[in-house]
Amino acid sequence: GNSVTQMEGPVTLSEEAFLTINCTYTATGYPSLFWYVQYPGEGLQLLLKATKADDKGSNKGFEATYRKETTSFHLEKGSVQVSDSAVYFCALRGTGGGNKLTFGTGTQLKVEL
Amino acid sequence: EPEVTQTPSHQVTQMGQEVILRCVPISNHLYFYWYRQILGQKVEFLVSFYNNEISEKSEIFDDQFSVERPDGSNFTLKIRSTKLEDSAMYFCASSETGPFLYGYTFGSGTRLTVV
């Protein structure tokens, strides 16, 4: 079946540091890939997505590239801010029909001054 | 910006009791979902609902669970006889179409604690 593996957290960075959160997946065919973010006390918000190989999703300075050859969708940001502190979830929608998302465990990011 | 609203935000219940978790999806959305996250574990799909019926459900969604759209605006998840292992954060979501195009809009979640 489909699965998503994310790096363990928490990840603690200083403001303006470079961020990478690794995400790899297992799925047949060409799934759609997503990053969701959950700020404290709020719901899951779609951060960015990519629907085919080599697509790059981007939003709010975050980027992720759909790499079919390495089955990866790593999240990156060049310069993090304290306001980026949140839990980040990688997810996929498989190609077998249906609308369900398969999530990773989430990675907590803490950004300090 | 339109929101998905979930109530209550926290619920404590005794084992064996029935609970109903409530959600108000975005008004023009057609697909509705429930997910849950046991503390420290993955967010897991429970069920999707379209056109007044279940379109897909996971192995977790057994006979103890049911969903309903009783009045055209609310979307509820009922757990008939709660177990300790049902303790989790439950997320409701809705979408205009499948998440392939737009992604879901999630609610803030209901934290259910079974004691």
Side-chain angles (χ1 to χ4, degrees), chain A residues 4 32 36 43-44 49 99 101, chain B residues 31 35 42 99-101 104 107:
Chain A
V4 175
S32 298
Y36 280 83
L44 296 165
K49 64 180 171 68
N99 292 329
L101 294 177
Chain B
Y31 292 80
Y35 285 76
K42 297 185 178 189
F100 182 78
L101 292 178
Y104 298 145

Side-chain angles (χ1 to χ4, degrees), chain A residues 50-98:
Chain A
T51 57
K52 61 182 189 294
D54 300 325
D55 265 3
K56 179 186 282 189
S58 61
N59 185 24
K60 299 181 182 180
F62 291 89
E63 303 185 326
T65 301
Y66 187 160
R67 301 281 187 207
K68 179 68 174 172
E69 63 275 15
T70 54
T71 61
S72 65
F73 193 55
H74 304 322
L75 182 68
E76 296 181 335
K77 186 174 185 182
S79 176
V80 293
Q81 306 299 311
V82 171
S83 57
D84 294 325
S85 297
V87 181
Y88 292 82
F89 293 90
C90 185
L92 71 81
R93 176 184 181 263
T95 54

Side-chain angles (χ1 to χ4, degrees), chain B residues 8-32:
Chain B
S9 55
H10 294 90
Q11 177 141 9
V12 180
T13 189
Q14 291 203 326
M15 192 168 54
Q17 295 296 303
E18 174 184 286
V19 294
I20 297 176
L21 308 183
R22 303 182 192 279
C23 170
V24 179
I26 293 173
S27 60
N28 64 339
H29 283 187
L30 301 176
Y31 292 80
F32 314 110

Side-chain angles (χ1 to χ4, degrees), chain B residues 8 10 20-21 23 37 40 46 54-55 57 59 61 87 98 101:
Chain B
H10 294 90
I20 297 176
L21 308 183
C23 170
Q37 184 182 28
L46 292 179
I54 291 173
S55 52
K57 62 182 181 179
E59 293 175 353
F61 195 87
S87 295
L101 292 178

Side-chain angles (χ1 to χ4, degrees), chain B residues 25-62:
Chain B
I26 293 173
S27 60
N28 64 339
H29 283 187
L30 301 176
Y31 292 80
F32 314 110
Y33 313 86
W34 283 100
Y35 285 76
R36 77 173 187 189
Q37 184 182 28
I38 295 171
L39 189 63
Q41 298 186 25
K42 297 185 178 189
V43 177
E44 302 171 293
F45 170 77
L46 292 179
V47 66
S48 59
F49 191 85
Y50 171 71
N51 201 25
N52 285 318
E53 61 183 24
I54 291 173
S55 52
E56 191 174 0
K57 62 182 181 179
S58 71
E59 293 175 353
I60 302 167
F61 195 87
D62 61 20

Side-chain angles (χ1 to χ4, degrees), chain A residues 22-40:
Chain A
N22 290 338
C23 171
T24 57
Y25 68 88
T26 301
T28 54
Y30 290 85
S32 298
L33 301 173
F34 305 84
W35 276 100
Y36 280 83
V37 58
Q38 185 179 29
Y39 298 103

